[in-house]
Amino acid sequence: MSEAYILGIESSCDETAAAVVRSGEEVISSVVVSQIATHQPYSGVVPELASREHLRAIVPVVRRALADAGRDYAALDALAVTQGPGLAGALLVGISFAKALAYALEKPLIAVNHLEGHIHAVLLEERQKGNYELPFPLMTLVVSGGHTHLYLAEQNGPAWTYQMVGHTRDDAAGEAFDKVAKLLALGYPGGPVIDALAPHGRADAVKFSPAQIKHRQRGDESPAPRQPHFDFSYSGIKTAVVRYVETHALLPAIERRRQALAAFLTPQTGDVLALCDPPTLDLVASFQRAMVDDLAGKTLAAAREYGVSTLLISGGVAANRELRETFKRRAAQEGLPVYFPSRPLSTDNAAMIAAAAFPKFLAGDFAAAELSAEASLPLR
Ligand code: KG4
Ligand code: ZN
């Protein structure tokens, strides 16, 4: 069977999502319930609360995805679920539900790596546009709240193989956006709010020097020759923002903003903007510019080093407008095509999980009955 309707289920972090996708190329339905309101008071995801919210949402979200698709359970060919990486307790909710449903329906279950899901969000949308062939090899950057990973991807029949050629040594890029937003009392999650505020500030106002990572070179210590590596580090830039806040006496303004925003249930960009003075907006714009320059610079250096034909950028931070513009401009200068998911499919969703499951469905690569959550599942 070369056509398949797959129900995808995603619960690795703070979104409960379900989607029906046809043959990895057409989104029939996609439902995402976000827990932002639950985690907002803590300015970050609280794992226990995430698991509890997934338990509440999973049944209605899956039912809604089927209703929106106009299909019943019998019309599905397979189920797919995120195995990891992610929060163990959150992953287990999706996995337990998917296992029970697959067992009851006597349908195959496919385990999907969340990071491969982010990559397939791009492929899914390209296929929807009629583009079935991306030139290999590819350099893919998965950049989210939990990951900043660079993979060299090659095609091996319908399946892909991945070699990790860089990753963050400390904070993920999305985590840096979230932590800086928390520090400046701009709201949660930090990425979208900084994205919206940055155009109102001067990006060259504050100089941040991106972390220079020392890599061991070929022949150093290790007997095996090493491949070049392109690692990231974002804890330093967060500390630099802390220092800037202290030395430029921004703390009283931050405290006033924190108190003012506490009065809003869900503050909108305009509310936050009205509470930001020009020095804060300059700081935000400069922080975003430094993050984007570093991500684009290292990804393009890796692309040159490995001689790839295509760039693929995915994950929550790929929704960032300045990041997209910068990648498009700099990739064009190097004659490299660059692909992103649409903004809704950049952040966590289940359509990407159902799409990534399709090649595994064709290969008969189904999950064993013992399938369990793997919080640090690597992508290979
Ligand atoms: O992929 P995702 O939904 O969940 C994870 O797998 O982590 O990514 C969420 C992350 C958060 O850190 C959020 O602040 C960031 O992506 N993010 C953004 C934007 N939208 C979401 N960062 C920068 N600019 C954005 N527009
Ligand atoms: Zn994600």
Side-chain angles (χ1 to χ4, degrees):
M1 191 196 314
S2 61
E3 179 158 288
Y5 286 84
I6 299 181
L7 169 70
I9 296 175
E10 154 66 37
S11 70
S12 66
C13 191
D14 60 344
E15 266 96 20
T16 317
V20 177
V21 174
R22 184 184 60 80
S23 307
E25 63 178 53
E26 187 190 358
V27 182
I28 311 294
S29 67
S30 177
V31 179
V32 180
V33 169
S34 168
Q35 305 176 358
I36 286 178
T38 303
H39 302 292
Q40 211 151 28
Y42 309 95
S43 298
V45 179
V46 183
E48 279 296 312
L49 297 182
S51 309
R52 202 169 72 192
E53 292 301 311
H54 284 307
L55 277 170
R56 280 208 184 114
I58 190 93
V59 173
V61 163
V62 169
R63 284 192 181 147
R64 178 71 189 273
L66 283 167
D68 287 359
R71 303 184 80 81
D72 59 21
Y73 289 116
L76 296 172
D77 295 293
L79 283 76
V81 68
T82 306
Q83 182 185 8
L87 302 170
L91 287 162
L92 272 175
V93 176
I95 292 173
S96 311
F97 183 82
K99 272 167 81 168
L101 191 57
Y103 183 75
L105 298 172
E106 298 182 15
K107 307 271 182 194
L109 177 63
I110 299 159
V112 174
N113 184 305
H114 181 81
L115 302 175
E116 191 169 28
H118 274 302
I119 292 167
H120 275 263
V122 183
L123 307 182
L124 164 64
E125 292 189 308
E126 287 306 311
R127 291 190 195 115
Q128 282 194 153
K129 292 180 215 156
N131 178 12
Y132 285 79
E133 298 294 338
L134 301 189
F136 279 84
L138 288 101
M139 186 58 65
T140 93
L141 171 69
V142 182
V143 61
S144 70
H147 299 90
T148 305
H149 281 54
L150 265 177
Y151 296 98
L152 177 68
E154 314 258 9
Q155 201 165 20
N156 194 355
W160 290 28
T161 53
Y162 303 92
Q163 181 193 336
M164 196 181 68
V165 300
H167 69 108
T168 179
R169 297 276 184 97
D170 39 56
D171 292 351
E175 196 179 350
F177 274 89
D178 294 338
K179 285 180 173 172
V180 166
K182 179 178 182 180
L183 183 79
L184 299 177
L186 300 174
Y188 168 83
V193 68
I194 289 180
D195 187 352
L197 294 177
H200 300 275
R202 293 174 303 140
D204 57 356
V206 185
K207 292 274 169 282
F208 291 112
S209 34
Q212 297 304 323
I213 312 257
K214 286 203 175 64
H215 298 108
R216 285 188 303 167
Q217 294 303 314
R218 266 171 209 275
D220 283 2
E221 299 153 46
S222 119
R226 285 175 57 81
Q227 298 283 339
H229 236 67
F230 296 86
D231 283 350
F232 306 85
S233 166
Y234 295 120
S235 68
I237 192 165
K238 180 196 65 196
T239 312
V241 173
V242 174
R243 220 173 302 120
Y244 189 90
V245 162
E246 286 167 0
T247 53
H248 291 75
L250 298 182
L251 277 171
I254 291 173
E255 199 39 49
R256 279 196 298 278
R257 184 162 49 248
R258 197 182 309 282
Q259 284 174 15
L261 284 177
F264 292 87
L265 200 56
T266 42
Q268 304 300 305
T269 305
D271 305 324
V272 187
L273 181 59
L275 294 164
C276 288
D277 51 10
T280 302
L281 293 170
D282 287 349
L283 180 60
V284 164
S286 303
F287 162 77
Q288 178 170 286
R289 173 67 51 85
M291 293 295 295
V292 166
D293 279 349
D294 188 62
L295 287 164
K298 287 190 179 134
T299 304
L300 281 154
R304 276 193 297 274
E305 178 73 37
Y306 285 91
V308 301
S309 306
T310 307
L311 280 182
L312 195 154
I313 319 297
S314 196
V317 182
N320 186 274
R321 277 169 284 218
E322 184 173 355
L323 183 107
R324 287 172 176 249
E325 289 314 311
T326 304
F327 263 108
K328 278 185 206 153
R329 193 181 64 250
R330 292 181 61 173
Q333 285 163 359
E334 311 229 356
L336 270 179
V338 58
Y339 295 92
F340 302 91
S342 65
R343 282 165 59 95
L345 280 205
S346 295
T347 45
D348 288 350
N349 64 87
M352 68 186 199
I353 302 302
F358 182 60
K360 298 182 200 299
F361 175 82
L362 293 180
D365 181 4
F366 300 131
E370 309 70 60
L371 173 70
S372 192
E374 276 206 45
S376 311
L377 185 67
L379 180 59
R380 294 197 177 94

